[in-house]
Amino acid sequence: ALIATMLSNPVLWIALAIGVLIGMIYKWVKSVGGLEIAWKIAMNGILTAWDWVKIGFFTGVYWVLDLWDKLKLGIMKTSVAIQNFMGDMKAAVLSILQDMVNDAIGIINDFINILNKIPGVSIDTIQKVTFGTTAQMENDAAKRAREADLQNFKNDIEAARAARDAALSQMKLDAITATAQRQAEINAMRAETAAKEDNTGFSFDYDNRMNNIADIAGNTAKMADIAGNTAKMADIAGNTAKMADSMDATEEELKYLRDIAEQEVINRFTTAEIKVEMPVNASINSELDIDGIVAHLEDKVYETMVIAAEGVHE
């Protein structure tokens, strides 16, 4: 029920995901050669991504600017085309009018020439008009000026576009160069770390370390059991100490009893104390009395020795 409740809690899954992520990051850091190298790799990736994000941003900006320049160039071309068309039309109309006027003037001049043949008549001829030709020349000059302006505008747009393309290419080149330099530094650090590991003979194997940690955890559990058994052994040791004290006391008592028994045996056969009580109430008056006393004393000593040999002491 506890496991089901925990699995139904989203916080547990978030914690598990974070733990798995941390484990993956730790394993990746170990695989690349250490925290410093992992940091440089991460920064290389971040800076490289940022460089290409900037390149992508400016690519979009430059695309919009190129599109705007194309639109302005198109408008400029349209304007020039309209102005050229209007100028050509104006010049053509004026040329037509000029031709019509000049034709009329030619007819008049022919008539004047005829009149001038009469004696005494001298009429100047009318000069033909040139407003149509002038308009055509002005139109041609204006067209050339407009075409020159259009070409200059086009050149400026193409130069700006080329500058943007060059800047974008330079940004790409700088990004690639910076990435290559950072990667070369990372490779050098990894080679140096590998050389140090080879020289020291130390290398960190994540899988083996994790297995060792699992073994240590198992051994720790066993050590906990050993600690419990050790506590029990401590109780046994205490009881053993008490038994040892009791055995020492018992041994001393047995030794004492043995010494007593040995002393009794020795006393029984060797150094038994003989007490002879012979109260004398009579008076000694002659040698006969002394001999009788001595004989009586011998009898008592013998009797006492026999009793001592049999184990009865007085």
Side-chain angles (χ1 to χ4, degrees):
L2 177 61
I3 293 173
T5 303
M6 292 176 66
L7 292 177
S8 63
N9 190 355
V11 177
L12 176 63
W13 292 103
I14 295 173
L16 289 175
I18 294 173
V20 171
L21 180 61
I22 292 173
M24 293 175 65
I25 293 174
Y26 177 77
K27 189 173 183 180
W28 173 72
V29 169
K30 183 271 303 179
S31 64
V32 298
L35 183 60
E36 184 177 3
I37 297 175
W39 173 255
K40 287 188 175 295
I41 292 174
M43 291 303 298
N44 184 31
I46 292 172
L47 293 176
T48 301
W50 175 246
D51 289 339
W52 286 101
V53 167
K54 290 193 299 182
I55 291 171
F57 173 76
F58 281 103
T59 300
V61 172
Y62 291 162
W63 180 81
V64 172
L65 292 177
D66 291 342
L67 184 63
W68 176 247
D69 287 342
K70 288 180 180 180
L71 179 62
K72 290 192 298 181
L73 181 61
I75 294 173
M76 186 72 175
K77 287 181 178 180
T78 302
S79 176
V80 169
I82 292 173
Q83 291 179 20
N84 290 337
F85 175 75
M86 296 298 293
D88 291 340
M89 186 173 63
K90 177 182 177 181
V93 170
L94 291 176
S95 296
I96 293 172
L97 291 174
Q98 177 182 324
D99 292 338
M100 292 174 64
V101 170
N102 286 334
D103 289 341
I105 290 173
I107 294 171
I108 294 172
N109 286 333
D110 291 339
F111 181 73
I112 290 173
N113 290 329
I114 294 171
L115 292 176
N116 286 333
K117 291 179 180 179
I118 301 173
V121 178
S122 177
I123 301 173
D124 296 329
T125 59
I126 302 172
Q127 299 291 330
K128 291 184 178 180
V129 298
T130 60
F131 60 87
T133 303
T134 302
Q136 186 66 40
M137 293 175 63
E138 291 177 351
N139 181 48
D140 293 339
K143 287 175 64 176
R144 287 193 296 270
R146 286 191 292 268
E147 291 294 337
D149 292 338
L150 179 61
Q151 186 62 41
N152 292 331
F153 185 75
K154 184 177 181 181
N155 292 335
D156 293 338
I157 288 177
E158 291 179 352
R161 181 177 181 180
R164 289 191 291 267
D165 292 340
L168 191 62
S169 299
Q170 186 64 38
M171 290 175 63
K172 292 179 180 180
L173 180 61
D174 292 340
I176 294 172
T177 303
T179 301
Q181 290 177 351
R182 290 190 294 266
Q183 187 63 43
E185 183 179 357
I186 291 169
N187 293 334
M189 291 182 65
R190 296 184 71 174
E192 183 179 358
T193 302
K196 289 181 180 179
E197 290 180 356
D198 292 337
N199 292 331
T200 57
F202 173 79
S203 61
F204 186 81
D205 190 349
Y206 175 80
D207 296 330
N208 291 333
R209 293 299 180 271
M210 293 303 293
N211 293 331
N212 292 334
I213 291 172
D215 295 337
I216 291 171
N219 294 330
T220 302
K222 294 180 181 179
M223 289 177 68
D225 296 335
I226 293 172
N229 295 330
T230 303
K232 295 179 181 179
M233 290 179 67
D235 296 335
I236 294 172
N239 296 329
T240 303
K242 293 179 180 179
M243 291 177 64
D245 294 338
S246 178
M247 291 295 291
D248 291 339
T250 304
E251 185 176 357
E252 290 178 358
E253 293 174 357
L254 291 174
K255 183 178 180 183
Y256 179 72
L257 294 175
R258 185 179 61 187
D259 292 341
I260 293 174
E262 290 178 353
Q263 187 66 35
E264 289 179 354
V265 172
I266 293 171
N267 290 336
R268 181 178 298 175
F269 294 101
T270 59
T271 61
E273 183 180 359
I274 300 174
K275 293 182 179 181
V276 179
E277 294 181 357
M278 190 178 68
V280 179
N281 297 321
S283 60
I284 299 173
N285 296 318
S286 64
E287 293 179 1
L288 180 58
D289 294 333
I290 294 173
D291 292 335
I293 293 170
V294 172
H296 182 71
L297 181 58
E298 290 177 355
D299 294 335
K300 285 295 185 180
V301 170
Y302 178 77
E303 182 181 355
T304 301
M305 291 177 63
V306 171
I307 294 172
E310 292 177 355
V312 178
H313 300 276
E314 293 182 358

